[in-house]
Amino acid sequence: MFTYDWFHRGGLQRQVEEAKRRCAAKRYPDGGKGREADSYQAYFKALTTRTILYLKDGLSYEMKEICDLAMTEALAIECVPVDENYQVGAYVIIIPFEDIARVEVFAVHPDEKPSDTLRIPGFRPGSSERD
């Protein structure tokens, strides 16, 4: 299901926008119509997202951004390291598309972020702490 085209030509962006739209709809069920239109737009624009890639081997990574390495056989990303020792630099990985099991996008407003930040267990096998 996941291909170069899905990540680079709109699939991921559609999923991000859908997560943001659904998050905003929880706060503004009418879609921000009428007097709430400006508040809805400001809320929607302030939403942040986290994109998590789950691999078939049990590893998971939080994607910081897609890297353009001019390859179409695999996905190159900079990921967010869980280990604080690695957060001082940049961690770039390459993942064959066929190894990606699912992609999750979490959208949240900065004022409503959970106080206990979700930790994504990248760099090691196992299930996430959220399961």
Side-chain angles (χ1 to χ4, degrees):
M1 169 179 169
F2 299 110
T3 63
Y4 176 89
D5 287 341
W6 191 86
F7 280 96
H8 291 273
R9 296 200 175 113
L12 177 59
Q13 189 56 41
R14 285 189 300 275
Q15 185 172 346
V16 168
E17 291 302 314
E18 183 67 12
K20 291 170 76 173
R21 186 189 66 73
R22 289 176 179 269
C23 182
K26 286 185 173 196
R27 180 75 175 267
Y28 297 93
D30 66 350
K33 296 181 178 148
R35 294 184 299 181
E36 293 185 327
D38 290 339
S39 297
Y40 173 86
Q41 288 299 323
Y43 182 87
F44 187 87
K45 286 180 181 180
L47 292 174
T48 60
T49 60
R50 295 177 70 183
T51 302
I52 314 304
L53 302 177
Y54 291 89
L55 306 185
K56 292 177 182 174
D57 64 4
L59 292 173
S60 57
Y61 297 95
E62 179 173 353
M63 180 171 38
K64 185 173 182 180
E65 68 180 328
I66 294 177
C67 302
D68 184 11
L69 297 182
M71 68 171 63
T72 59
E73 304 82 24
L75 178 66
I77 64 167
E78 179 181 352
C79 61
V80 178
V82 172
D83 188 328
E84 291 179 15
N85 294 320
Y86 288 95
Q87 292 179 357
V88 297
Y91 205 92
V92 175
I93 62 172
I94 297 174
I95 306 166
F97 290 115
E98 62 269 8
D99 289 352
I100 301 170
R102 73 177 190 268
V103 176
E104 292 180 1
V105 177
F106 174 67
V108 66
H109 192 277
D111 295 340
E112 298 169 344
K113 279 186 179 178
S115 59
D116 184 22
T117 305
L118 297 174
R119 290 186 53 88
I120 309 305
F123 315 122
R124 61 183 154 98
S127 62
S128 76
E129 292 176 14
R130 297 183 301 169
D131 293 46

